Amino acid sequence: MLTNASKYAIRAVLHLTKKMDEATKMSGKEIGSDLDIPEAFIAKILQKLVKANIISSHKGPKGGFYMSKENLNNNINDIIWAVEGRDIFEGCFMGLPVCSDENPCPVHHIVAPFKEKLYMKFNDLTIKDFADEIKDNGTHLTIKGINVKI
Amino acid sequence: MLTNASKYAIRAVLHLTKKMDEATKMSGKEIGSDLDIPEAFIAKILQKLVKANIISSHKGPKGGFYMSKENLNNNINDIIWAVEGRDIFEGCFMGLPVCSDENPCPVHHIVAPFKEKLYMKFNDLTIKDFADEIKDNGTHLTIKGINVKI
DNA sequence: AATATAAAAGACTTATTTATCCTTTATATC
DNA sequence: GATATAAAGGATAAATAAGTCTTTTATATT
Ligand code: FES
Ligand code: FES
């Protein structure tokens, strides 16, 4: 459903936002290594995000990426849109040219509520809200340093 | 989540199964045109499905693809496995290396129940069951010839 | 036996996604 | 002003997915 690029982007932005209070700026290198994302690849993605005003950046020593006050008001769908250039939630799970309640495919009744739930979460919460929720719930953006149970 | 190839495969098998009573065999050409799938591409996919014993085929005039009694006992996950060679339901929606209740990503609580529902449907119903359900519910495998409402 | 039909097989092209590398530009610090 | 640091920009490579084309093989019909 999401490409690697947008998964990386979402995790990077939320990670940046979580870290915000501690260290103001993070280098692309640091973000990549924190989240186990190839550094050169996440660098390209971060570039896009800056252009789309999803995150902010500053060059040179002590520079890096950071979240401005305004950046925090965006939502996850804005990130996806910036990276993909399209809405990933439209379209039928089974490949029909339209997805609608009136002309449902055999799994529409399962897929549609899921898509709606996720779409709402990705639209209604700001990045700031989302990052706060992550802190409160203790959910993960990486499993680095975590004693993983499966 | 699914590739085009497996979406095509699933729709093709269910379409074949639905048509079973009427015309015993269908050509790849017919399947492609019925479902709006590039003919050369669906031909390749059908070839794979025959090899994997998901569907059956017969060469020559009056030949084509069809569902044997045994073929009907497979399920959707078998189709996906035959085409993709892997389980598409494992893996975290946000790209974490594991998906588990113990180490959830921020959307795991939304994604996990959805994946489970779909996985069960794709595992517990045989192709025959699934096709019957489609007939009963009037859900679509194509929108060809349908007066589409969005 | 000749012919026509339809799948099987294999090689190939195109498009998209993922990823890497190298150069340039901005800027803080010495 | 020289130097080191970090993002920006651009080109290119590698991998995967999507799709096409041509030839071969099996088989029913005449
Ligand atoms: S019609 Fe297939 S998911 Fe909605
Ligand atoms: S941990 Fe991300 S979907 Fe389960």
Side-chain angles (χ1 to χ4, degrees):
Chain A
M1 192 148 253
L2 293 171
T3 61
N4 278 4
S6 42
K7 288 175 191 171
Y8 291 162
I10 295 169
R11 292 202 292 136
V13 172
L14 292 172
H15 186 59
L16 251 189
T17 306
K18 266 184 76 177
K19 290 260 172 166
M20 232 214 137
D21 338 318
E22 312 165 24
T24 342
K25 284 167 195 163
M26 289 185 83
S27 71
K29 207 172 172 179
E30 195 181 355
I31 296 173
S33 101
D34 277 6
L35 301 181
D36 264 315
I37 301 171
E39 284 168 21
F41 194 29
I42 192 64
K44 277 288 151 205
I45 296 166
L46 293 168
Q47 237 176 79
K48 265 194 187 178
L49 295 175
V50 171
K51 270 193 190 164
N53 285 307
I54 307 290
I55 64 178
S56 302
S57 69
H58 203 79
K59 285 185 182 177
K62 301 282 169 185
F65 299 96
Y66 63 99
M67 297 296 287
S68 72
K69 286 261 166 71
E70 303 91 70
N71 290 153
L72 293 173
N73 292 323
N74 282 110
N75 62 36
I76 302 283
N77 278 334
D78 295 325
I79 300 176
I80 297 170
W81 186 260
V83 175
E84 307 263 347
R86 64 190 161 99
D87 183 4
I88 50 129
F89 287 105
E90 70 182 21
C92 163
F93 190 85
M94 279 218 166
L96 300 189
V98 292
C99 169
S100 68
D101 293 341
E102 285 75 20
N103 299 103
C105 76
V107 294
H108 179 81
H109 65 289
I110 293 179
V111 176
F114 162 71
K115 283 204 295 191
E116 193 158 312
K117 254 183 224 165
L118 209 58
Y119 188 84
M120 279 176 60
K121 195 169 187 81
F122 283 3
N123 245 339
D124 297 352
L125 295 183
T126 65
I127 296 296
K128 173 74 176 134
D129 293 338
F130 211 116
D132 286 345
E133 198 182 278
I134 291 171
K135 281 182 192 170
D136 292 346
N137 298 348
T139 53
H140 303 307
L141 296 170
T142 171
I143 57 162
K144 247 194 174 167
I146 293 172
N147 207 354
V148 178
K149 301 175 202 170
I150 304 174
Chain B
M1 191 147 253
L2 294 171
T3 60
N4 277 5
S6 41
K7 290 175 191 172
Y8 292 162
I10 295 170
R11 292 202 290 136
V13 173
L14 292 173
H15 186 59
L16 249 189
T17 307
K18 267 185 75 177
K19 290 260 171 166
M20 233 213 136
D21 337 320
E22 314 165 24
T24 341
K25 285 167 194 163
M26 288 186 83
S27 70
K29 207 172 172 179
E30 195 181 355
I31 295 173
S33 100
D34 277 6
L35 301 181
D36 263 316
I37 301 170
E39 283 168 22
F41 194 28
I42 192 64
K44 276 290 148 202
I45 296 166
L46 292 169
Q47 236 176 79
K48 265 194 187 179
L49 294 175
V50 171
K51 270 193 189 162
N53 284 306
I54 307 292
I55 64 178
S56 302
S57 69
H58 203 78
K59 284 184 183 179
K62 301 281 171 187
F65 299 97
Y66 64 97
M67 297 296 289
S68 72
K69 284 263 167 67
E70 303 90 70
N71 290 152
L72 293 172
N73 292 322
N74 283 110
N75 61 36
I76 302 283
N77 277 335
D78 295 325
I79 301 176
I80 297 171
W81 186 261
V83 175
E84 308 263 348
R86 64 190 159 95
D87 182 6
I88 51 129
F89 286 107
E90 72 182 19
C92 162
F93 189 86
M94 278 218 167
L96 300 189
V98 292
C99 169
S100 69
D101 293 341
E102 285 75 20
N103 299 102
C105 75
V107 294
H108 178 81
H109 64 291
I110 294 180
V111 176
F114 161 72
K115 283 204 294 191
E116 192 157 313
K117 256 184 223 163
L118 209 58
Y119 187 85
M120 280 176 59
K121 195 169 189 83
F122 283 2
N123 245 339
D124 297 351
L125 295 183
T126 66
I127 295 297
K128 174 75 177 130
D129 293 337
F130 212 116
D132 286 345
E133 198 183 278
I134 291 171
K135 281 182 192 169
D136 293 344
N137 298 348
T139 53
H140 303 306
L141 295 170
T142 170
I143 57 164
K144 248 194 173 164
I146 294 172
N147 207 353
V148 178
K149 300 176 202 170
I150 303 173

